[in-house]
Each structure stands twice: as structure tokens, then as C-alpha cells.
């Protein structure tokens, strides 16, 4: 897993309180990791903070899985 | 009980009777306060009176840019905003059929839209910290209606709905949202009433006196405290029994 992928995973584990082994690229935040819609908003805010970038609403809507987040942040992360 | 040491509070309309009393009471319980209002000199004088743990943040709530800048300014000054007191409000009274569009728009902008924007910005900070207290000052007339105040009552009723939704959405994050609905309180706003109006009002108040800003501030201190953690989405009526809802 990429360095960014590891950081994404850490944030997801912390925020959703899930087992690290469940946080795989194909895992959907809502369907597989038990997040509600507010959790996903918080995750996006946490990603923005950790990676020093802004995630616009239309992009946030396409981030449904751990892999989606990693892919987006590999392209857009500033820190 | 109700110790606010280490907490940070942003109070809008702090130059008014109720806002001033709330800022003073939160400060007396140990909170650091950011006092906001339109009149810089009055705020500076108030800050000097309070002493330490005070920040002055002038803001015109009818300006979108001013409103958007206020919570970030409070965060920059205090490091966090734990407590938001959305208190500022204006009136532009007229009989309903004579209410001008501008009177409607101005009152909704300051009383309701600014409350929405401030609460939105503050909640974002609070949900990260898993602690927050949003306290909006509504009014008894937002629940009962009042002749001559179609715009004002609509704005205050709107605040109650907004607060209920906030309370429901963020309860799991340790953020509570509540309203305080003052009845007739002795402030410059109610000093404008004539004797006859005052008498008519007092006849309806079982406590047989106007409320004081301190009566309202006590409710705000409670809602801001750790002890009120299980109270959310509520409207606390502080009105001397004028309406029992």
C-alpha cells in the first residue's frame, strides 16, 4: 500500500473505530464500514486536514470507498 | 457546577442588554469570551470592564462577508469555539399588510440567515472536538406570534426549527443545540414600549415583573455547561410564566 494509502487507512480506522483489516481498497465507507452520512462528511474534513487540500463537494460525492479516497488524494494531496 | 474554565465562547449582539449579560455570566464562570457587535467603542468599553480572557470582534451581521469571517476570527483569537451564543437580532415592526419587503429581508438576514451561517461554521469546529454548545436566542413571540411582528416572529420560529435539526444531527458528536426564548425582558428593545403597552404585557405575566438580562444569562450558563450535555434540541422559555408551553 502507498504511503498515502496508509495514512488514509489510519484516519478511517480512527474515525470509524473499525478493525484495520477491514479497511481495504474496495471497502465502502457506508456499506462495509458502518459509516453514516455525517461520518463521511467528517472523513472528508479529516482528509482535507491531513493532506492539506480542499475536496470540493462534487469530488467528495464520488469518494465512496477507501480506494476512491486514496486515488483522489494521491492526485491532490499537498502535504 | 456550571464551571466553564478553559471553555471559549463567541457571543453575538454582545453590546445589547441580553448579549452583554450572557457574555458577562459566561466570563464569570471562567470562560474566555469573544464579544461581537457592530459598535466597536461599546465593545472596547465592555472588554475593559471584563478584564482578561476577552476578545473584541466587531461584525455587521447583515453583511455576508462579515458573518463568514466571524467564526474563523473567533477561532484564531481563542484557538477554538466551544460555545456559540447566537443572540444578535433586530426588529422592523409593522402591520403585516404594511410590512415592506426590505423589512422582511433585513430581519430574516440578521436574525435567521446569520444564525444559520454562524452555526454552520461553529458546528464544523465543534464536531471535530467532539464538544460544542450552540445556543440561539429566539423569542416567546416566535412560538406565540405577535401582532406587528410578522418578520420577527418568522425569523425566531425559523431559529427554533434550525436548532432542532442541528441538535438531531450532531448529538452523537457531543454538540448540543438549544434555544432560549425570553419573554419580556428589560432591555433597550423593550424600553421603547409605551406605558400602556407595558401595563398590558405585565397583566399577562404571572411573575408580575419584566425579566432581567441576568434571568436569560443564567439559562445560557446552564446550557453551555458540561452538566447540560443531555439537553439538546430544546427551547427553554424564560418568561415569568407568561406562556407555559
Amino acid at each position: 500500500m502507498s504511503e498515502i494509502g496508509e495514512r488514509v487507512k489510519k484516519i478511517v480506522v480512527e474515525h470509524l473505530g473499525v478493525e484495520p483489516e477491514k479497511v481495504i481498497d474496495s471497502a465502502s465507507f457506508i456499506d462495509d464500514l458502518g459509516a453514516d452520512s455525517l461520518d463521511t462528511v467528517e472523513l472528508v474534513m479529516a482528509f482535507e486536514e491531513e493532506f492539506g487540500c480542499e475536496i470540493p463537494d462534487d469530488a467528495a460525492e464520488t469518494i465512496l470507498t477507501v480506494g476512491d479516497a486514496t486515488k483522489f488524494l494521491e492526485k491532490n494531496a499537498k502535504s | 457546577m456550571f464551571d466553564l474554565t478553559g471553555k471559549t465562547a463567541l457571543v453575538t449582539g454582545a453590546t445589547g442588554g441580553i448579549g452583554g449579560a450572557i457574555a458577562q455570566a459566561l466570563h464569570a464562570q471562567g470562560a474566555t469570551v469573544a464579544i461581537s457587535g457592530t459598535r466597536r467603542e461599546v465593545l472596547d468599553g465592555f472588554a475593559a470592564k471584563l478584564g482578561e480572557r476577552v476578545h473584541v470582534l466587531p461584525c455587521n451581521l447583515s453583511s455576508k462577508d462579515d458573518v463568514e469571517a466571524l467564526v474563523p476570527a473567533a477561532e484564531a483569537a481563542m484557538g477554538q469555539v466551544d460555545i456559540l451564543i447566537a443572540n444578535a437580532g433586530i426588529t422592523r415592526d409593522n402591520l403585516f399588510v404594511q410590512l415592506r419587503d426590505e423589512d422582511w429581508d433585513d430581519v430574516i438576514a440578521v436574525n435567521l440567515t446569520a444564525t444559520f451561517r454562524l452555526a454552520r461554521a461553529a458546528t464544523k469546529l465543534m464536531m471535530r472536538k467532539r464538544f460544542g454548545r450552540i445556543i440561539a436566542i429566539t423569542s416567546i413571540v416566535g412560538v406565540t406570534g405577535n401582532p406587528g411582528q410578522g418578520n420577527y416572529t418568522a425569523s425566531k420560529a425559523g431559529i427554533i426549527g434550525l436548532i432542532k435539526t442541528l441538535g438531531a444531527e450532531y448529538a452523537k458528536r457531543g454538540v448540543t443545540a438549544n434555544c432560549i426564548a425570553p419573554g419580556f425582558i428589560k432591555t433597550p428593545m423593550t424600553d421603547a414600549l409605551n406605558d400602556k403597552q407595558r401595563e398590558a404585557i405585565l397583566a399577562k405575566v404571572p411573575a408580575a415583573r419584566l425579566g432581567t438580562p441576568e434571568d436569560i444569562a443564567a439559562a445560557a450558563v446552564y446550557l453551555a455547561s458540561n452538566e447540560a450535555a443531555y439537553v439538546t434540541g430544546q427551547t427553554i422559555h424564560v418568561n415569568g410564566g407568561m406562556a407555559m408551553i
Side-chain angles (χ1 to χ4, degrees):
Chain A
M1 196 179 272
S2 70
E3 182 251 340
I4 283 186
E6 287 297 337
R7 283 158 72 194
V8 166
K9 184 172 169 179
K10 186 160 171 274
I11 288 172
V12 173
V13 168
E14 269 171 23
H15 270 262
L16 301 181
V18 290
E19 313 273 319
E21 49 273 23
K22 285 193 180 153
V23 185
I24 51 175
D25 275 354
S26 61
S28 152
F29 296 122
I30 290 177
D31 296 333
D32 300 319
L33 302 176
D36 63 19
S37 56
L38 187 51
D39 288 321
T40 61
V41 171
E42 279 194 315
L43 276 175
V44 166
M45 284 164 57
F47 292 147
E48 287 179 331
E49 208 164 304
E50 168 74 18
F51 296 97
C53 62
E54 210 160 297
I55 305 178
D57 287 347
D58 53 341
E61 279 166 23
T62 67
I63 299 178
L64 304 176
T65 66
V66 176
D68 293 341
T70 305
K71 240 183 276 164
F72 179 88
L73 291 163
E74 279 170 347
K75 273 189 216 141
N76 296 285
K78 299 215 170 67
S79 60
Chain B
M1 295 256 275
F2 314 137
D3 179 23
L4 300 177
T5 305
K7 295 285 199 292
T8 55
L10 168 62
V11 183
T12 69
T15 52
I18 290 175
I22 291 174
Q24 194 162 1
L26 297 177
H27 186 263
Q29 294 304 112
T32 296
V33 295
I35 51 177
S36 185
T38 48
R39 291 171 291 163
R40 172 99 218 191
E41 327 74 70
V42 183
L43 289 172
D44 284 339
F46 186 29
K49 200 175 103 187
L50 290 177
E52 290 178 358
R53 292 182 280 115
V54 182
H55 302 270
V56 170
L57 301 175
C59 176
N60 173 4
L61 292 182
S62 59
S63 148
K64 182 172 186 278
D65 292 344
D66 269 27
V67 173
E68 301 277 356
L70 184 56
V71 168
E75 187 197 10
M78 303 189 290
Q80 172 65 12
V81 178
D82 297 311
I83 302 159
L84 169 67
I85 308 286
N87 160 71
I90 58 169
T91 56
R92 296 272 187 277
D93 296 355
N94 217 333
L95 289 174
F96 202 82
V97 292
Q98 291 168 331
L99 212 47
R100 297 178 309 156
D101 283 357
E102 305 90 273
D103 298 332
W104 173 269
D105 291 342
D106 288 352
V107 167
I108 295 294
V110 172
N111 296 7
L112 185 56
T113 308
T115 298
F116 155 65
R117 291 197 174 116
L118 293 174
R120 181 178 57 185
T123 302
K124 270 192 192 167
L125 300 179
M126 292 169 178
M127 63 195 275
R128 285 201 176 115
K129 282 243 326 209
R130 294 290 190 269
F131 179 89
R133 297 284 184 266
I134 308 272
I135 301 167
I137 308 305
T138 175
S139 169
I140 174 68
V141 299
V143 179
T144 62
N146 197 31
Q149 294 198 301
N151 48 3
Y152 184 77
T153 53
S155 72
K156 294 299 190 180
I159 287 175
I160 293 174
L162 177 158
I163 285 293
K164 286 179 178 174
T165 297
L166 256 181
E169 277 187 22
Y170 299 94
K172 272 207 280 187
R173 269 76 181 169
V175 179
T176 69
N178 292 285
C179 291
I180 300 171
F184 278 90
I185 307 298
K186 196 175 163 21
T187 66
M189 214 191 252
T190 51
D191 283 345
L193 300 167
N194 64 37
D195 284 351
K196 210 173 148 198
Q197 286 171 315
R198 192 182 311 269
E199 244 171 67
I201 289 160
L202 281 180
K204 290 187 215 151
V205 180
R209 66 168 175 88
L210 290 179
T212 64
E214 289 71 29
D215 290 325
I216 307 305
V221 165
Y222 167 63
L223 289 174
S225 70
N226 286 331
E227 283 81 356
Y230 202 54
V231 178
T232 196
Q234 304 301 313
T235 298
I236 296 193
H237 289 269
V238 183
N239 62 27
M242 181 183 175
M244 301 186 185
I245 302 151

